[in-house]
Amino acid sequence: MSDSGEFDLIANYFTHRWPSRDDVVLGIGDDAAILTPAENSQLVIATDTMVADVHFDQQTPARAIGHKIAAVNLSDLAAMGAEPAWLSLALTLPKVDEEWLNGFSHGLREICEYYDCQLIGGDTTKGPLSVTVTAHGFVPADHALRRDQAKPGDWIYVTGTLGDAGLALAAQQQRVQISDAHYRRVLERLYFPTPRVAIGQSLRDIASSAIDVSDGLLADLRHILKASNVGARLAVDELPLSMALTESVNEEQAIQFALTSGDDYELCFTVPESKRGVFDTLMSRHPAKPTCIGRLTNEPHKIRLEHDGERWQGQLEQHGYEHFRTA
Amino acid sequence: MSDSGEFDLIANYFTHRWPSRDDVVLGIGDDAAILTPAENSQLVIATDTMVADVHFDQQTPARAIGHKIAAVNLSDLAAMGAEPAWLSLALTLPKVDEEWLNGFSHGLREICEYYDCQLIGGDTTKGPLSVTVTAHGFVPADHALRRDQAKPGDWIYVTGTLGDAGLALAAQQQRVQISDAHYRRVLERLYFPTPRVAIGQSLRDIASSAIDVSDGLLADLRHILKASNVGARLAVDELPLSMALTESVNEEQAIQFALTSGDDYELCFTVPESKRGVFDTLMSRHPAKPTCIGRLTNEPHKIRLEHDGERWQGQLEQHGYEHFRTA
C-alpha cells in the first residue's frame, strides 16, 4: 500500500520550524543525514526506547512522550558529560493520528529547541506504538565521565530530589493516596523529566564516575560499584527528598521510594576528596544542587545503608523496575 | 519487576566475540558509547525500523531479521557513498526467547563481521516485536552522494537485478506460482539482501545522485527526480532481471515487479556523460555490475517508460508498499 499522502503529512510534523544547527550538512530527506563532527572531540551515542503499555500508558499525554523520549536520551549524554547535538527518531504508530502527532512533535521540538539539538532523520513505520531515539553529543577527547573510574573514599552525590517519579506512578496506580497539589507536582517529574545536561558537563574534570538514575538509585549505583569494583556507604537520612514526597508518605516509605523507584533521571556521581571543595563551591547556587549522600568503600559491590550513623533498620520493597537491556 | 537475570542474559548475545574497532573508545555497558570520528570526514547516520507483521511475518527466520535490519541501514549508508562503522540496536521483544535471540544475534553478527561494523550499544525492552538500527559511517568531507545533484542528460543506472524480493513475497503470499529452485533463490534475496557498500563508495566522485531501492524503482527514482528537479526516460527492456524472475512470470509482469516491488536494496544512481567511460570500465568485472536503464530529462518529475524506443504499453500495478516515514 502506498502511503505517500501520509508520508508527506508526517514529515511536516518533524521539519517545519524545527531548530537547525550549523554542523548538520544534510538533515531529514535523503537516505541518511550528513554531519560534521566537532574537532578534537569524541562522539557520544545513546539509544533508548519507550513502548506503549510498558513505559507509558494510554493516559500519558503525547507531548510528555515526545519530551521524555528525548529527555531520557539526553540524560544518558549528561551522565557522560557530553554536550547534545543531534537526535534520530524511530516512530512506530498504529495509525496517523493528527492530534497525537501534534502533541508528540510539540513535546519533542520544545526539548530540541531548549538544548539546541537537531532532529536529523529517522523512520516512521506502522505498528504498535513505540518510540526510539538515538542521541548524539560531544565531549572533549578523553574527558567523558564513565562508570569504571571511581575509587574508595570518593564521595557520592545525587542531583535534585529522588523518588518523585516513583511516587507519581504509585499514586496513578492508587498504591498511595496523595494531595492533588502534590500529585500535579510529581506527575510533572514523571512526564517531563529534566536531563541534567549542564551539571553533567560541569562534572567533566571533577567526577570520578557518573550514571543517570533511570532504574532506581540502588540499581544504578550498583552499576558504578560493579564497573569500578568498589562498595558504598549511603546515609539514607541525607537523601534529597521533595516536600511532595515527605508530606505524602512516612519516612521509611520516602526512603524506599528514593532508593528504589526509577524514572527520576537525576545524576548519581562520585567526587574524589581532592576535588570536593572546588565542586561544592561551583554547585552552591545551582537549582538542582547535588547532595552528598555517602562515600565509596573498598568492599566490592557491597552497599551499606546507614541512618544517623547506624545501620538502617528499614525494609526495601522493589518499587522500580528494570528492563532487560544491552546498554 | 527487576529483570537482572534476563538483562545479563541478553547482553551476552550481543557482546561475546563480536567485532571490535579501534575507533570505539567505550562500547556496550555504560550510559552511552564513546567514539572517535575519522579525521577530515563527515559522519553519515541512517535509521530504519522493522516491525513484526508489517515488515516481516511469523515465518521469517530470526537470523534473516538480524541480517536484514543491518543490511537496510548499511544500504542507506551505501547510497550516500559512506563507509560503515558503528551500529546501535533498539530491540523490543515480547519475551526472552533464547532460540530467537540466538538466530537474530547470529544474523546481525555475521553482517557486522563482514563489513567491520561494531555494535556500540542500544536498548532492549519488552513489547511487541520490533527492531530499530541506527547506522553510522564516514565519507571524506563533501564527497557524500546525495539526491539533489542530478542533471538532465545524466545516465540512470541500477545495480544487480530488480524485482526478486517482490517475487519472493508474491510467491509466499501465493499471488504467483514459481518453482522451488527459483523460490529458494529469490527468498534469499528477500531475507538476506546485500547492501551495495563497495559500489556506493566507488561512486563517490562519479555519480551525480544515488538512492537505494527499498520501496520500488519508480518510487525511489521519483525521490531523485523531485530533489534534483529533473525527469527520466527509462528503457523497460533494459531493466536487469534475474532468470528466476523471467522464468517465473511473463515479460509484462517481470517489468512490473522490477519497476514497483520494493525490498531489493540495489542502488539506483545517475552518472554524467563525462564520467561514463571511466565508470563503465571501473565496473566491468563487478559481480553486481550496474546496468544503464535510461537517462534524465529536463521535464521535472516526469517518468517516461519506453520499450524498444517506443512508449511502453504495459500496465502498472502497485506491488510495492511505502510506509509513512520521515527520512
Side-chain angles (χ1 to χ4, degrees), chain B residues 75-184:
Chain B
S75 178
D76 281 325
L77 296 192
M80 307 298 286
E83 182 190 332
W86 317 310
L87 300 183
S88 299
L89 168 69
L91 177 59
T92 302
L93 292 172
K95 63 180 193 311
V96 174
D97 173 339
E98 295 199 33
E99 193 185 327
W100 192 93
L101 278 163
N102 229 346
F104 176 81
S105 61
H106 185 63
L108 183 59
R109 195 182 61 204
E110 281 173 325
I111 188 165
C112 282
E113 279 168 353
Y114 188 78
Y115 291 104
D116 190 24
C117 278
Q118 184 169 343
L119 187 67
I120 55 164
D123 193 8
T124 310
T125 50
K126 201 180 170 92
L129 182 58
S130 117
V131 205
T132 295
V133 160
T134 300
H136 303 78
F138 297 104
V139 279
D142 303 320
H143 282 70
L145 303 170
R146 307 169 52 145
R147 298 178 180 176
D148 57 0
Q149 308 289 317
K151 297 278 178 301
D154 291 353
W155 298 93
I156 305 166
Y157 283 81
V158 70
T159 59
T161 58
L162 293 175
D164 297 328
L167 179 64
L169 200 63
Q172 207 167 49
Q173 297 170 347
Q174 300 185 310
R175 287 185 277 119
V176 296
Q177 295 289 327
I178 68 174
S179 75
D180 286 352
H182 287 332
Y183 183 57
R184 277 195 299 275

Side-chain angles (χ1 to χ4, degrees), chain A residues 7 35 43 124 136 324 326, chain B residues 28 35 43 124 136 324-325:
Chain A
F7 162 95
L35 299 314
L43 199 62
T124 310
H136 303 78
F324 37 100
T326 53
Chain B
I28 292 176
L35 299 315
L43 199 62
T124 310
H136 303 78
F324 38 99
R325 53 169 141 176

Side-chain angles (χ1 to χ4, degrees), chain A residues 1-4 6-8 10-11 14 25-26 28-37 41-49 51 54-55 76-77 79-80 86 88-90 92-93 96 120-128 130 132 134 136 144 146-147 210-212 223 226 318 320-327, chain B residues 1-4 6-8 10-11 14 25-26 28-37 41-49 51 54-55 76-77 79-80 86 88-90 92-93 96 120-128 130 132 134 136 144 146-147 210-212 223 226 318 320-327:
Chain A
M1 295 72 60
S2 175
D3 285 321
S4 293
E6 294 187 303
F7 162 95
D8 290 338
I10 290 198
F14 298 103
V25 180
L26 191 65
I28 292 176
D30 210 301
D31 294 287
I34 308 175
L35 299 314
T36 309
S41 288
Q42 287 168 331
L43 199 62
V44 177
I45 304 181
T47 298
D48 272 296
T49 299
V51 181
V54 178
H55 300 88
D76 281 326
L77 296 192
M80 307 297 287
W86 317 311
S88 299
L89 169 69
T92 302
L93 292 172
V96 174
I120 55 164
D123 192 8
T124 310
T125 51
K126 201 179 169 90
S130 117
T132 295
T134 299
H136 303 78
R146 306 168 53 145
R147 297 178 181 175
I211 194 169
D212 70 325
H223 291 303
K226 202 175 159 191
Q318 193 68 27
Y321 58 87
E322 181 185 306
H323 295 285
F324 37 100
R325 54 170 140 174
T326 53
Chain B
M1 296 72 64
S2 173
D3 285 322
S4 291
E6 294 187 304
F7 162 94
D8 290 338
I10 290 198
F14 298 103
V25 181
L26 191 65
I28 292 176
D30 210 301
D31 294 287
I34 308 176
L35 299 315
T36 310
S41 289
Q42 287 168 329
L43 199 62
V44 177
I45 304 181
T47 298
D48 271 296
T49 299
V51 180
V54 178
H55 300 89
D76 281 325
L77 296 192
M80 307 298 286
W86 317 310
S88 299
L89 168 69
T92 302
L93 292 172
V96 174
I120 55 164
D123 193 8
T124 310
T125 50
K126 201 180 170 92
S130 117
T132 295
T134 300
H136 303 78
R146 307 169 52 145
R147 298 178 180 176
I211 194 169
D212 70 325
H223 291 302
K226 202 174 158 192
Q318 193 69 25
Y321 58 87
E322 181 186 305
H323 296 283
F324 38 99
R325 53 169 141 176
T326 54

